Amino acid sequence: MLASRATVHANHDLTRWVMISVLALVTLLPPPASAGGVPGPQAAVNSAPARHTLITTSRYTLPAILLVRDDDKTVSLPEEVNDGRPVVLNFVFTTCSSICPVMSQVFAQFQQKLGAASEQVHLMSISVDPEEDTPARLREYARKFHAGPGWQHYTGTLEASLAAQRAFNVWRGDKMSHSPVTLLRRAPDQPWVRIDGFVTPDELLQTYRGLSGPSGGETLATR
Amino acid sequence: MNAWRVAATKLLLLAMLATAAHGGTPSAASVGESIYLRGILSSGAPLEGTREAGTTAHAADAACVNCHQRSGLGSREGNLSTPPITGDYLFHEHTHGPAEPVLPYVESMRHREPYTDATLARAIREGVDPTGRQLSYLMPRFTIGDSDMAALIEYLKKLAVHRVPGVTDSVLHFATVFTPDADPAKREGVRTVLEQFFAEKNKFPFGPSPRMWTSDKTAYSKSMYMAKRRWQLHEWQLTGPASSWRAQLDKLLTEEPVFAVLSGVGGSNWAPVHEFCEEQALPCLFPNVEVPVVADRDFYSVYFSKGVLLEAQLIGQSIVGSDHQVAPRLVQQIYRAGDSGEPAAAALAKQLEQHGISVRSESLPPGPAGRGLAAALRAAARSDVIVLWLRPGEIAALGPAPRGSQIVYVSGLMGGLESTPLPAAWRPQTHLAYPFDLPDRRGVRLDYPLGWFKFRHIPVLAQQAQADTYLACSLIADVLNNHMADSASRAYLIEQLQGMLERRIMTGYYPHLALAINQRFASKGGYIAHFSDVPGDRLVADSAWLTP
């Protein structure tokens, strides 16, 4: 099991991404069992079949962009993020059939595990396909995952979605290249905790509780 | 003997009863397909899969197609790679010699031990590969009984890439379809672009390249093969009533098997062609139609936009969400029966009525331009909003200006886009639905196709349709040359198009194109615009790009 903890800054983005690319690769099948054989054409991808997460902390500067919430209201990204509650945030799109359903299910189970406190935590899912994902489609998607009142989905213009993705360093050229990232923050003056890779509901809860504890975002844990 | 007969009769009766109870016994092939595509087991129960840490997948969300795609050739999403799971890849045995059967190259293919039926069933149920190693976290561990498992494995074996109709060693056959109600100028313009594009594509034909081997001794059959085939165009001109088109299309496909239908021109009814393509599992790529078919479950038909149905959404959003001084209460639509405005008017009426706005839709009788129009306009005098689904000849002859407080919307697609001959008296109150980027914003994206037409002396008879046709051809050439390698699979063509489209910079009339699994309309938005005060055809957007 791989767990890593690091504090990185914006100028280390490239290095961090290279690390993540190597560590967080998830594949369906393992590398060839070629005893003494030459690696296969996908050797680099095949080398990491298991699930890994990489947890880092970072401070992001959020642009003053407007998004459209799933209740059709136009809202400001910084204001939504700074609404007084701890935030757990991810990026999805409703026609994504592999990565996003897993991430959304993790959010749903995380919200369930929060129980009565679920409304005290702001879950935010921002669409990386805003032209397709109208507020009505987002509502339908939220219903499918039994999203509680504390979990909102966001769309907006293509430019606004891109700006949000760039601000959180999740933009990888197009929506098909997106990868699983979950971001948490206890309060506006705290750094963001970033989980690259597929986090489980229990890990997310554990990370959130570490975030909410007396020592804040410095005591983090992965599985 | 009698006892045997009685037993046999009982068995037969039981079988018949069981069949009746289930509405017919599904074949193994249909069970496998149902599990793979829809996540439904033979019992009708949903397929269930679980992942590490308790996340689950259920029914359609658990279906194999979500990650492995309809072709079975897998996918890449971000840094995640989903391998091909058609029989030929799963059971492929590496002999590392000239006798090794060749597999078309796909990006996410693996080099590993071959599966057997037993190890594949174990992989699907327990998530381990032939050597016992864990599969990916994303791959659920499925609960599937023995007979359903056998049906699924049988389906995977049949998904193997076979010889595809319309693909020979040296030629890729395409059809283009023209319906009899297609606008003649548009048809001629599109046909000329297609013929020129195909001629240039074939200017430097390549022969099949020899079988290639990589350093790790995996055989790739005739690598880059799709790029090296000559393209042949078959022009399918349909005739007679729409009810006869299906039989004509079936006959044409039998006589001239094609890999895909590319571009083409339709009138107000494209549904028979769309349905034919879906039933034949034949890609039908970017036809020039005003009324595409919107059906959630379809796969093989891909359009640039929803045409007049998108215009109806744009107009609806503008009416409902407008900051008009007085909220519109009565909307009057005018369209000609049988023309593209009819389904658009129906869609808009449904949308507005959901918001409590009354809609009256006046259907002009089929016939010459102008027939019944004056009376319909008189009847519209009491409405707050007039929506016109009319052709240029009728727009030009609208007559006296509407009442000062009335707001008018016109279909840009039907009226002639920026060339819509709107009488000057109507301009101040009229808004145009415009499902493209505005003329003064798309310049650079159109420079190349327009230059291409100019230098080849291609007459511009229907600029938007011709530019879309050029764009369609160049997109498909890009997919075939750069994303398909030697995988001649119709479904894979659609999947690769879905994956690559968003990265295109040259998108012609559209500011942005994108697709994904379960998306069939590449451009999602448009403008509501009006003509500027200055005489001429300059359009000014009422608001930002709308994606209703």
Side-chain angles (χ1 to χ4, degrees):
Chain A
M1 187 54 54
L2 180 70
S4 172
R5 185 179 307 154
T7 300
V8 287
H9 301 286
N11 59 349
H12 292 152
D13 281 346
L14 182 61
T15 310
R16 181 175 63 183
W17 181 243
V18 170
M19 287 171 63
I20 292 164
S21 301
V22 174
L23 296 174
L25 286 172
V26 181
T27 65
L28 266 175
L29 293 172
S34 49
V38 185
Q42 294 294 317
V45 174
N46 284 345
S47 62
R51 184 181 68 87
H52 296 292
T53 53
L54 177 66
I55 301 188
T56 55
T57 59
S58 192
R59 291 187 184 272
Y60 300 107
T61 304
L62 299 190
I65 52 169
L66 296 177
L67 297 173
V68 179
R69 212 166 49 195
D70 52 17
D71 59 359
D72 288 314
K73 290 208 171 93
T74 300
V75 295
S76 136
L77 172 65
E79 284 175 21
E80 284 297 290
V81 165
N82 300 334
D83 76 345
R85 295 177 288 175
V87 185
V88 185
L89 184 147
N90 68 10
F91 291 86
V92 295
F93 65 104
T94 63
T95 53
C96 161
S97 58
S98 54
I99 296 176
C100 309
V102 177
M103 295 176 69
S104 295
Q105 201 174 56
V106 167
F107 263 37
Q109 292 187 15
F110 169 70
Q111 198 176 38
Q112 272 182 351
K113 286 173 189 287
L114 287 171
S118 71
E119 288 190 48
Q120 309 307 313
V121 183
H122 191 190
L123 272 66
M124 297 178 63
S125 294
I126 301 175
S127 172
V128 298
D129 189 15
E131 294 207 327
E132 176 75 9
D133 291 340
T134 59
R137 285 188 72 96
L138 291 177
R139 286 194 289 275
E140 192 185 324
Y141 185 79
R143 265 195 301 276
K144 182 176 160 185
F145 288 98
H146 309 290
W151 183 7
Q152 271 87 47
H153 290 73
Y154 298 82
T155 181
T157 63
L158 199 58
E159 293 75 22
S161 175
L162 281 182
Q165 292 173 63
R166 287 200 170 105
F168 283 109
N169 189 22
V170 297
W171 171 243
R172 299 288 174 263
D174 61 22
K175 69 176 184 297
M176 295 307 204
S177 304
H178 84 288
S179 51
V181 175
T182 309
L183 297 134
L184 303 87
R185 196 186 65 177
R186 185 178 60 170
D189 61 342
Q190 296 293 312
W192 286 90
V193 175
R194 176 187 178 111
I195 308 174
D196 279 278
F198 286 105
V199 67
T200 68
D202 283 334
E203 288 169 4
L204 186 56
L205 189 68
Q206 194 182 358
T207 308
Y208 166 73
R209 286 187 174 145
L211 193 72
S212 304
S215 52
E218 301 309 310
T219 54
L220 306 174
T222 184
R223 64 200 206 104
Chain B
M1 190 65 177
N2 277 344
W4 182 87
R5 278 187 180 155
V6 170
T9 308
K10 279 182 179 172
L11 275 173
L12 186 64
L13 278 170
L14 276 172
M16 286 167 69
L17 282 169
T19 302
H22 288 92
T25 304
S27 65
S30 70
V31 169
E33 183 182 278
S34 172
I35 295 169
Y36 188 90
L37 294 180
R38 294 177 286 281
I40 302 294
L41 301 169
S42 61
S43 63
L47 176 64
E48 302 282 352
T50 56
R51 296 187 179 91
E52 180 194 355
T55 58
T56 59
H58 176 81
D61 291 339
C64 321
V65 70
N66 289 312
C67 296
H68 295 282
Q69 306 278 346
R70 185 175 290 245
S71 66
L73 294 177
S75 62
R76 283 187 76 90
E77 190 170 335
N79 50 19
L80 304 177
S81 168
T82 304
I85 42 84
T86 62
D88 40 3
Y89 289 88
L90 289 170
F91 301 104
H92 182 76
E93 198 153 345
H94 293 283
T95 59
H96 300 305
E100 180 177 335
V102 289
L103 286 175
Y105 172 78
V106 292
E107 198 181 5
S108 56
M109 68 195 293
R110 303 285 196 268
H111 188 91
R112 50 145 172 70
E113 294 299 307
Y115 278 99
T116 63
D117 284 12
T119 57
L120 183 57
R122 188 181 64 168
I124 294 168
R125 288 184 179 127
E126 299 171 27
V128 289
D129 85 339
T131 58
R133 292 196 54 178
Q134 287 282 312
L135 299 185
S136 159
Y137 167 71
L138 263 192
M139 170 77 175
R141 284 51 171 155
F142 292 100
T143 308
I144 304 183
D146 288 345
S147 64
D148 280 357
M149 181 64 80
L152 177 59
I153 292 174
E154 203 55 34
Y155 180 77
L156 297 180
K157 287 177 180 172
K158 285 188 178 151
L159 263 185
V161 178
H162 299 296
R163 184 160 280 277
V164 180
V167 182
T168 71
D169 282 353
S170 56
V171 182
L172 268 178
H173 293 267
F174 293 92
T176 193
V177 175
F178 301 116
T179 62
D181 57 343
D183 175 72
K186 217 180 249 187
R187 183 179 57 212
E188 186 54 26
V190 164
R191 195 180 58 76
T192 314
V193 172
L194 284 168
E195 287 177 354
Q196 182 68 35
F197 195 97
F198 275 63
E200 289 195 19
K201 182 80 180 62
N202 296 333
K203 209 176 258 179
F204 302 103
F206 295 98
S209 55
R211 184 174 173 180
M212 294 175 73
W213 298 81
T214 62
S215 58
D216 68 334
K217 298 177 183 173
T218 296
Y220 300 141
S221 70
K222 296 162 185 169
S223 193
M224 300 310 293
Y225 204 14
M226 297 299 279
K228 296 191 173 188
R229 286 185 171 94
R230 192 167 61 79
W231 286 21
Q232 186 163 337
L233 182 66
H234 302 267
E235 295 178 14
W236 290 356
Q237 174 64 61
L238 304 180
T239 57
S243 57
S244 70
W245 297 353
R246 179 56 198 261
Q248 294 177 48
L249 288 165
D250 285 336
K251 187 164 179 283
L252 285 162
L253 185 63
T254 306
E255 290 169 358
E256 300 170 345
V258 294
F259 182 52
V261 173
L262 178 57
S263 187
V265 186
S268 57
N269 181 12
W270 186 254
V273 185
H274 176 105
E275 285 156 15
F276 161 77
C277 288
E278 291 300 322
E279 283 171 31
Q280 293 291 338
L282 183 64
C284 188
L285 307 163
F286 304 116
N288 293 284
V289 292
E290 290 172 341
V291 194
V293 177
V294 181
D296 280 348
R297 288 175 177 272
D298 290 349
F299 176 80
Y300 287 96
S301 296
V302 180
Y303 301 90
F304 279 123
S305 90
K306 288 184 184 169
V308 291
L309 302 175
L310 171 60
E311 290 192 328
Q313 290 179 305
L314 292 167
I315 293 171
Q317 184 167 333
S318 177
I319 292 173
V320 172
S322 64
D323 48 4
H324 301 304
Q325 288 179 337
V326 180
R329 284 173 301 177
L330 177 60
V331 173
Q332 174 83 47
Q333 302 193 88
I334 302 175
Y335 64 88
R336 192 161 291 283
D339 204 351
S340 301
E342 187 167 359
L348 178 58
K350 190 175 170 191
Q351 185 186 350
L352 293 177
E353 281 159 3
Q354 283 171 350
H355 288 86
I357 298 172
S358 300
V359 181
R360 284 202 313 232
S361 298
E362 184 76 25
S363 167
L364 306 179
R371 188 177 172 192
L373 179 58
L377 286 169
R378 278 196 299 277
R382 287 189 301 279
S383 63
D384 305 309
V385 174
I386 303 173
V387 182
L388 301 176
W389 303 100
L390 299 173
R391 296 292 172 185
E394 293 177 314
I395 301 275
L398 281 174
R403 185 160 47 79
S405 61
Q406 282 183 309
I407 301 158
V408 181
Y409 290 94
V410 171
S411 160
L413 266 177
M414 295 181 67
L417 298 179
E418 57 273 25
S419 303
T420 300
L422 194 68
W426 284 68
R427 282 195 169 203
Q429 290 152 263
T430 300
H431 305 265
L432 203 66
Y434 201 88
F436 304 101
D437 207 357
L438 291 175
D440 53 3
R441 298 181 190 181
R442 67 188 180 225
V444 69
R445 290 194 306 272
L446 269 185
D447 284 348
Y448 190 83
L450 295 182
W452 193 85
F453 298 161
K454 189 175 177 184
F455 288 117
R456 285 153 184 83
H457 307 291
I458 292 173
V460 179
L461 305 171
Q463 181 175 294
Q464 178 259 318
Q466 287 176 280
D468 274 9
T469 301
Y470 178 82
L471 180 59
C473 288
S474 61
L475 284 172
I476 299 311
D478 189 356
V479 174
L480 289 167
N481 292 352
N482 302 322
H483 300 272
M484 297 278 288
D486 49 353
S487 302
S489 156
R490 288 166 166 172
Y492 195 55
L493 172 67
I494 299 284
E495 292 155 11
Q496 293 302 301
L497 178 65
Q498 289 170 344
M500 60 73 78
L501 190 59
E502 198 174 348
R503 292 193 290 274
R504 283 284 294 206
I505 296 168
M506 301 308 282
T507 50
Y509 265 66
Y510 307 92
H512 174 67
L513 296 174
L515 288 168
I517 186 170
N518 297 324
Q519 290 187 25
R520 277 167 295 285
F521 300 95
S523 178
K524 277 82 173 174
Y527 288 101
I528 295 292
H530 60 273
F531 286 104
S532 78
D533 297 337
V534 183
D537 59 6
R538 181 161 183 269
L539 281 173
V540 180
D542 289 4
S543 65
W545 175 258
L546 301 171
T547 50

